[in-house]
Amino acid sequence: MNPEEYIDTDEIDIPPMLIDQIIGQEEAVETIKKAAKQRRNVLLIGEPGIGKSMIAKAMAELLPPEDLQDILVYPNVEDTNNPLVGVMPAGQGKKVIENAKKQNKGQEERRNILMITIIAFIMAIGFLTNQFLSAIIAVGIVFFALYQLRPKGQQSTPKLLINSDGKEVAPFVDATGAHAGALLGDVRHDPYQSGGLGTPAHERVESGMIHRANKGVLYIDEIGTMTMKTQQELLTAMQEHKYQITGQSDNSSGAMVRTNPVPCDFVLVASGNMEVLKDMHIALRSRIRGYGYEVFMKDSMKDTPENRKKLGQFVAQEVKNDGRIPHFTKEAVAEVIKEAQRRAGKKDALTLKLRDLGGLVRAAGDVAVEENAKEVTVEHVHEARKQSRTLEQQIADRYISQRKEYSVFSNEGSKIGCINGLAVIGNSSGIVLPIAAEAAPSQSKEEGKIIAAGKLGDIAKEAVQNVGAIIKKSIGTDISNYDIHIQFVQSYDGVEGDSASVSMATAIISAIENIPIDQTLALTGSLSVRGTVLPIGGATYKIEAAAESGMKKVLIPASNMDDILIDKKYVDQIEIIPVKTLTDVLEHALVGPQKDEFIKSLKENKIDKIKNYIPNPTDIINSKPSKSNN
């Protein structure tokens, strides 16, 4: 829907089916439709907050509700610890229980009449014979004897284990994080097993989530967090479509009870990120892959008018689902779409991490409610962005404030071997990452060492090692003559990724060549071993962090220029300079009288290297052809 076609989100139509409310996951939707039709299991892999649980719920709507069943558990006269199981169409189980209760009620009334008659007769004899004490004792014995008959009458009443009466859609059961008893069913412990006071075994049987999901969908997020034993039992239930219920605690009296197999014909929708696969039972995944589908879900979609229209629908859905916030004006919707562009982190894309985006929608609605506004406006969305900052954003703001206060980094003047790198905390918060380098004569006759101080991840460590080759190729200096010390200043939370490669290389070259670095500048970028500046993630957030820290310029990979969607307040605060090679970086970052001569020699060396590889055309023309060996 174009902005011209509506005034606010109240005029946007919301599809009645949940499957049609899913935004940007067309391939996953088509797969789910096929899986629902054929009752196939599905494994959804993707980032948190992109709609995996919503897809699972939508699948439950697509399953036929007319197949639903009631499940009853009956006492077993021959073996009380092996209750029997009965299955019937939805709604019939309730009738069976009602009929059994009516029958028991008639028996109870007759038993009460008999008890009153006997007690009255005994008391009358005691009154006539003056044996009151004997009569009272006799009444107690009779009362206790008749009381023991009471549970025997109730033992024939079945228990309604699964009640599907009145359900219009197939069940959806979220079993995320469920322990074995909740997932597979359990038998309650009975401390009164002797003297006829115990609860019948079939009454203590409790259904598991796999049974409540019968003919519906069982959804398990982060399935790899389940123990291997539980995953194995889940696989058995999937294969057999039925599973016996027994006590899950070996020390409980319920461990002696084991029912007949209870139907659990569910469709499994499991989900998680890529990391969850390594902890997933290999046979369980094989079962899903062999008898279902694996889907890798998207975290962004193309920025097109059609997809912007879908995000407008998303905002309307969030307003309706929340039920406590006013509708959004079309200008406010446009601002939410702009935020979706920012959060996508790449050009011509919109984020599909809609749970986080929905948080912004609700926060903006709360701001409007607080101001007693009838609609959510652009100003409310702006205010919501400030108030609903993530923990990472709050930490980043605190880092910037503290590092300014204690002069951890400098945003003015120039220094040798010190540079302001940029990093990202979480997915949407940038910080300045000061890096210092020092080059000392090598202590080893064979080769120098690169020593990095800071909590570095594997990728960051590899990036440090690659820097040596890059510097040798770019400036012709063999750093094996030096011991290079690199410090990631106050990087308490660690450094991961290789987006600090450009910063490290520049700091090392500055230290080796004794040329200062402009401290009003910050930079980010990954380096190839050939000295090319490669794109990085989080460009927008890194630039905003540089601006917040008082930097005047920021260098970013040229290929990231179309990804930038910084807030308006930062546009005039900082100059954004695209760079393609390490030479471009050095030309902008280095300052001082030695810079021009160094850059000139650097470019000349590159031209000379090219000449060495490309022969002179005159030599090619004048050269005699070699004789053929044939």
Side-chain angles (χ1 to χ4, degrees):
M1 181 178 293
N2 295 324
E4 293 79 13
E5 298 178 18
Y6 70 98
I7 298 175
D8 58 28
T9 51
D10 191 27
E11 299 180 5
I12 298 178
D13 293 330
I14 299 175
M17 293 288 291
L18 199 58
I19 194 72
D20 298 321
Q21 296 179 19
I22 296 170
I23 307 297
Q25 303 288 353
E26 290 79 10
E27 295 178 7
V29 166
E30 290 303 314
T31 300
I32 283 294
K33 288 180 178 179
K34 288 187 290 185
K37 186 176 181 180
Q38 299 294 335
R39 295 189 62 81
R40 307 293 191 196
N41 302 310
V42 180
L43 176 62
L44 302 174
I45 297 298
E47 294 295 319
I50 57 176
K52 298 188 288 289
S53 62
M54 187 175 180
I55 285 180
K57 289 179 182 178
M59 187 177 187
E61 287 187 353
L62 299 176
L63 296 174
E66 58 269 17
D67 294 339
L68 299 184
Q69 299 172 327
D70 286 344
I71 301 176
L72 295 92
V73 56
Y74 295 86
N76 187 339
V77 178
E78 297 180 357
D79 183 359
T80 57
N81 287 325
N82 183 216
L84 306 176
V85 174
V87 182
M88 56 191 62
Q92 296 300 312
K94 188 176 180 180
K95 295 179 181 179
V96 170
I97 297 298
E98 289 176 350
N99 291 335
K101 286 182 177 179
K102 288 180 181 179
Q103 184 177 359
N104 287 336
K105 185 178 180 180
Q107 293 177 353
E108 181 76 11
E109 290 176 351
R110 290 192 293 272
R111 189 190 67 83
N112 290 338
I113 293 173
L114 177 61
M115 180 185 296
I116 292 171
T117 303
I118 294 174
I119 290 174
F121 178 73
I122 293 173
M123 292 302 295
I125 293 176
F127 179 77
L128 293 174
T129 59
N130 292 322
Q131 298 292 327
F132 296 110
L133 181 59
S134 299
I136 293 173
I137 293 173
V139 166
I141 294 172
V142 170
F143 181 83
F144 182 77
L146 292 176
Y147 183 83
Q148 293 303 305
L149 296 175
R150 186 174 185 177
K152 294 179 181 178
Q154 292 179 339
Q155 284 180 1
S156 61
T157 304
K159 178 180 179 178
L160 185 56
L161 199 64
I162 303 296
N163 183 11
S164 300
D165 185 32
K167 293 184 178 179
E168 298 180 355
V169 296
F172 170 81
V173 179
D174 188 347
T176 302
H179 58 78
L183 180 68
L184 306 173
D186 207 344
V187 178
R188 286 183 284 111
H189 173 69
D190 183 9
Y192 303 106
Q193 297 181 75
S194 60
L197 298 176
T199 303
H202 75 286
E203 288 284 352
R204 294 187 281 121
V205 173
E206 301 292 342
S207 62
M209 291 178 173
I210 60 173
H211 307 110
R212 294 197 291 276
N214 185 46
K215 301 300 180 181
V217 172
L218 180 72
Y219 174 66
I220 303 177
D221 193 14
E222 301 298 334
I223 190 168
T225 60
M226 284 186 167
T227 65
M228 283 297 170
K229 182 177 184 300
T230 302
Q231 291 188 51
Q232 179 65 53
E233 299 296 333
L234 180 63
L235 174 62
T236 301
M238 285 174 57
Q239 292 173 327
E240 302 297 330
H241 304 298
K242 54 188 177 181
Y243 191 85
Q244 291 178 302
I245 298 177
T246 187
Q248 294 296 324
S249 173
D250 294 337
N251 298 324
S252 169
S253 62
M256 298 181 61
V257 177
R258 182 176 291 272
T259 69
N260 280 5
V262 180
C264 56
D265 185 13
F266 57 84
V267 173
L268 176 66
V269 179
S271 67
N273 53 29
M274 290 298 295
E275 291 295 319
V276 84
L277 297 180
K278 65 182 181 182
D279 296 319
M280 191 173 176
H281 196 294
I282 187 171
L284 178 60
R285 186 183 174 194
S286 176
R287 179 76 183 182
I288 296 174
R289 187 168 59 244
Y291 294 88
Y293 300 93
E294 292 185 338
V295 180
F296 186 72
M297 297 182 66
K298 299 186 296 183
D299 61 359
S300 64
M301 60 182 176
K302 289 184 177 180
D303 186 1
T304 64
E306 181 64 24
N307 286 337
R308 292 187 182 191
K309 173 183 174 181
K310 292 178 181 178
L311 281 182
Q313 175 188 316
F314 165 75
V315 175
Q317 289 171 186
E318 291 297 297
V319 172
K320 180 182 177 182
N321 293 337
D322 186 89
R324 292 171 292 180
I325 59 176
H327 282 279
F328 281 55
T329 65
K330 61 182 180 182
E331 293 80 10
V333 172
E335 194 64 26
V336 173
I337 293 173
K338 183 178 179 181
E339 184 64 19
Q341 294 171 327
R342 283 169 46 86
R343 297 188 181 192
K346 51 189 175 182
K347 60 183 178 181
D348 301 326
L350 299 167
T351 185
L352 284 176
K353 294 181 179 179
L354 300 181
R355 183 184 298 158
D356 293 341
L357 198 64
L360 176 65
V361 171
R362 285 181 286 276
D366 291 344
V367 173
V369 170
E370 188 176 0
E371 296 180 1
N372 294 319
K374 293 183 179 180
E375 289 184 319
V376 178
T377 64
V378 173
E379 290 73 21
H380 296 141
V381 177
H382 288 166
E383 184 62 27
R385 281 183 54 195
K386 298 177 185 177
Q387 295 184 9
S388 62
R389 295 176 304 158
T390 64
L391 288 174
E392 290 82 3
Q393 288 172 322
Q394 295 175 48
I395 292 170
D397 291 344
R398 189 171 301 176
Y399 273 3
I400 291 172
S401 175
Q402 290 177 347
R403 290 178 176 182
K404 274 185 179 179
E405 182 179 353
Y406 292 101
S407 302
V408 174
F409 62 82
S410 176
N411 55 16
E412 57 184 18
S414 61
K415 292 182 181 180
I416 295 174
C418 295
I419 198 162
N420 296 314
L422 295 169
V424 169
I425 298 178
N427 296 318
S428 58
S429 304
I431 61 168
V432 174
L433 180 65
I435 300 174
E438 186 62 56
S442 173
Q443 297 299 312
S444 170
K445 294 181 179 180
E446 297 179 356
E447 61 177 352
K449 298 179 180 179
I450 297 180
I451 304 164
K455 190 178 177 182
L456 306 185
D458 293 338
I459 298 176
K461 289 178 182 177
E462 292 174 3
V464 171
Q465 298 301 319
N466 288 337
V467 164
I470 296 169
I471 292 174
K472 184 176 180 180
K473 174 181 173 55
S474 300
I475 69 174
T477 301
D478 189 353
I479 67 170
S480 63
N481 298 322
Y482 300 91
D483 281 340
I484 306 295
H485 295 261
I486 304 172
Q487 181 183 13
F488 293 85
V489 182
Q490 292 190 353
S491 57
Y492 305 126
D493 296 321
V495 178
E496 187 52 281
D498 62 348
S499 64
S501 300
V502 167
S503 306
M504 287 189 291
T506 305
I508 292 171
I509 292 171
S510 169
I512 292 175
E513 300 293 336
N514 206 36
I515 302 175
I517 297 172
D518 183 3
Q519 298 300 295
T520 68
L521 170 144
L523 70 167
T524 182
S526 175
L527 274 179
S528 74
V529 292
R530 303 182 65 85
T532 303
V533 181
L534 304 176
I536 43 80
T540 294
Y541 305 112
K542 291 178 178 179
I543 293 170
E544 291 180 347
E548 286 284 352
S549 302
M551 305 298 169
K552 303 302 180 185
K553 295 180 290 185
V554 62
L555 305 184
I556 70 162
S559 50
N560 280 122
M561 284 300 290
D562 291 334
D563 300 337
I564 299 170
L565 285 169
I566 62 173
D567 200 280
K568 291 180 180 179
K569 69 177 182 178
Y570 300 117
V571 172
D572 297 329
Q573 293 184 24
I574 195 162
E575 179 186 0
I576 303 171
I577 303 172
V579 289
K580 294 183 178 179
T581 65
L582 180 58
T583 303
D584 295 339
V585 174
L586 297 173
E587 197 165 0
H588 288 286
L590 300 180
V591 293
Q594 301 179 49
K595 169 196 167 180
D596 293 337
E597 184 179 348
F598 174 72
I599 297 297
K600 181 180 178 181
S601 65
L602 191 61
K603 292 180 178 179
E604 288 175 351
N605 286 340
K606 285 196 173 183
I607 293 173
D608 291 339
K609 288 179 183 178
I610 293 173
K611 287 180 180 179
N612 291 335
Y613 289 110
I614 302 177
N616 191 317
T618 305
D619 295 336
I620 298 176
I621 294 172
N622 294 334
S623 63
K624 293 181 180 181
S626 59
K627 293 182 180 180
S628 173
N629 294 327
N630 296 331

